[in-house]
Amino acid sequence: MNINQSENISDVLIIGGGPAGLFAAFYGGMREMSVKLIDSLPQPGGQLMALYPEKYIYDVAGYPKILAKDLVHQLEEQAYQFDPEMCLEENVQNVEKLGEQLFKITTTKAIHYARTVVITSGAGAFQPRRLKHETAHKYEGKNLFYSITDLNAHEGQRVCISGGGDSAVDWALMLSEIAAETTLVHRRNQFRAHEHSINQLKETNVQIKTPMAVDELIGTEDHLESVVLKETKGEHSENLEIDSLIVNHGFLSSLGAIKEWGLEIEKNAIVVNQKMETNISGIYAAGDITTYDGKVKLIATGFGEAPTAISQAKHYIDPDTRVQPPHSTRVLGGE
C-alpha cells in the first residue's frame, strides 16, 4: 500500500463532533498531535446543535448556565486554535486496523488513515421518538416540533410541551418567560428531571398536567389548533387550545456501523477501561458513547474523558512521551 506518511496519516482521527469530540480536538492540539475530526452532521456540535441549540446547559463547570449553541461556539473557538482538519457530512462506515499505529477509516466520501482513533460519537445515530398519533405527520415541522431551534419563534404563543425529562422541563422554564401560556404534560406524576429544575418549575406560571398524555390532535389539514389531554389511568380529559406543540419523549439511538468494527459493546455503548482504551489497541472512546462501572453521562464527564483518551493515544504513538502532560497554564503562556 502506498501511503504518504507525512501528508496522509493523522496522529489521531476523532469520530464525532459533539462537545467531547471538539474538546478532544483541542486537547490533541495541546499535545502537538495532528488532528482530523469526522462528523455526519453539516456543523459541529452534535445533538446540542441538531436538537437543543436554544436550550440552556447547566452541568458544565464554570458556567451557571449557557445556551447549547454558545457552548458549541466556545468549544469551536477553543479547538480551532490548532487548526484541526474538519470533515463534515461524512458518515464513517468502517474502521480497519492495518497494523500497529495504522488505521484505515472509510467514510461515505473518502478514505482516511490515522495512527490512533478516538470515538466520541455520543449516542450514535439518533432520531426523536415521534408522537404516536395517526395524524401527527401532518403537523410535524409546521406547529408540531420535536426540538426548539429558535426560542423566539414561540414568543407570545400558547405552547404545550409533552415530556417529563430534563429537556422538557428546561424548555418549559425557558418558555415560561416569553410564551403567553406554557403547559407541561407528563404521563406520570413524577418528572425525571433534576430536582432543582423541578423546584424552579413549580415557582413559575407553567401549567402542569399530570398524569396525562396527548390523546387527540385537532386542527385543519396543515395546522394544529388544539390537543385533547387525557388521564393515563382515568377517564378525565380536557381540550387545550394551542399555537404549538413540542414533543420530547426521548430519542432512539443506534450505534449503526460501529457494531461491525470488532469493539466490545455493552447495552449500546463501547466498553472502555480507566484509560479510555477499547478492546482494540490504538482505538479509544470518550463521552456518552462509552460505558464502564460507575459511568455518569454528563457533558462534564466527557470533558474529563477526552483528554485522558488523547493523552493515552499520544503515549501509544510515542511511548517516550508522558501520559501526564504539563499543566495548560504552562503550555499557553503561564510560568
Side-chain angles (χ1 to χ4, degrees), residues 13-18 21-22 36-47 49-50 85-93 105-109 112 119-127 254-258 261:
L13 186 142
I14 300 167
I15 300 174
L22 287 171
K36 181 180 287 187
L37 185 149
I38 297 177
D39 194 88
S40 61
L41 298 174
Q43 76 284 319
Q47 291 191 32
M49 288 302 286
E85 183 178 350
M86 305 292 287
C87 302
L88 301 175
E89 295 187 272
E90 289 192 37
N91 284 284
V92 177
Q93 303 293 301
I105 298 92
T106 304
T107 76
T108 48
K109 289 186 176 180
H112 308 269
I119 303 172
T120 56
S121 53
F126 56 89
Q127 59 179 340
S254 171
L255 294 185
I258 293 177
W261 299 350

Side-chain angles (χ1 to χ4, degrees), residues 76-317:
E76 288 181 283
E77 183 179 344
Q78 186 180 40
Y80 291 167
Q81 295 177 85
F82 299 104
D83 296 319
E85 183 178 350
M86 305 292 287
C87 302
L88 301 175
E89 295 187 272
E90 289 192 37
N91 284 284
V92 177
Q93 303 293 301
N94 190 42
V95 174
E96 180 183 359
K97 186 169 186 177
L98 303 179
E100 282 303 309
Q101 300 188 22
L102 185 58
F103 291 89
K104 177 182 178 182
I105 298 92
T106 304
T107 76
T108 48
K109 289 186 176 180
I111 293 176
H112 308 269
Y113 295 93
R115 296 180 176 86
T116 60
V117 174
V118 175
I119 303 172
T120 56
S121 53
F126 56 89
Q127 59 179 340
R129 292 183 184 273
R130 286 179 154 72
L131 188 65
K132 294 181 178 180
H133 192 281
E134 59 183 8
T135 63
H137 67 279
K138 296 196 305 183
Y139 308 115
E140 290 175 349
K142 296 170 183 174
N143 64 333
L144 190 166
F145 308 99
Y146 296 99
S147 66
I148 297 178
T149 55
D150 182 4
L151 196 68
N152 292 325
H154 301 283
E155 184 176 0
Q157 289 191 345
R158 298 163 299 175
V159 182
C160 176
I161 303 171
S162 177
D166 279 308
S167 293
V169 171
D170 289 345
W171 280 337
L173 286 169
M174 296 171 72
L175 286 169
S176 69
E177 300 178 0
I178 66 169
E181 297 176 9
T182 305
T183 303
L184 180 60
V185 181
H186 184 40
R187 60 195 179 94
R188 296 190 178 96
N189 282 317
Q190 288 77 36
F191 290 92
R192 302 186 309 278
H194 284 84
E195 295 87 347
H196 179 68
S197 298
I198 296 170
N199 288 334
Q200 282 186 303
L201 182 70
K202 293 176 180 177
E203 296 175 0
T204 68
N205 59 0
V206 174
Q207 299 180 64
I208 300 173
K209 304 287 187 178
T210 61
M212 302 189 81
V214 175
D215 185 62
E216 188 176 349
L217 305 178
I218 300 173
T220 63
E221 186 61 28
D222 60 359
H223 187 80
L224 182 61
E225 297 176 339
S226 66
V227 293
V228 176
L229 307 179
K230 184 179 179 181
E231 283 184 318
T232 52
K233 294 182 179 180
E235 297 301 321
H236 173 71
S237 65
E238 58 185 89
N239 186 77
L240 180 69
E241 294 185 354
I242 61 171
D243 296 305
S244 60
L245 171 64
I246 299 165
V247 177
N248 183 252
H249 294 169
F251 293 86
L252 299 169
S253 62
S254 171
L255 294 185
I258 293 177
K259 291 182 177 180
E260 310 302 321
W261 299 350
L263 297 163
E264 183 181 353
I265 305 293
E266 182 180 294
K267 294 182 179 179
N268 222 35
I270 300 172
V271 176
V272 295
N273 61 18
Q274 63 185 12
K275 297 179 180 180
M276 299 298 115
E277 295 172 322
T278 69
N279 60 303
I280 300 176
S281 61
I283 299 183
Y284 306 83
D288 285 354
I289 193 71
T290 67
T291 186
Y292 51 81
D293 189 34
K295 169 78 175 188
V296 177
K297 289 191 176 184
L298 293 173
I299 292 175
T301 307
F303 287 160
E305 295 168 353
T308 298
I310 289 293
S311 293
Q312 292 295 335
K314 174 76 172 180
H315 186 68
Y316 173 79
I317 294 172

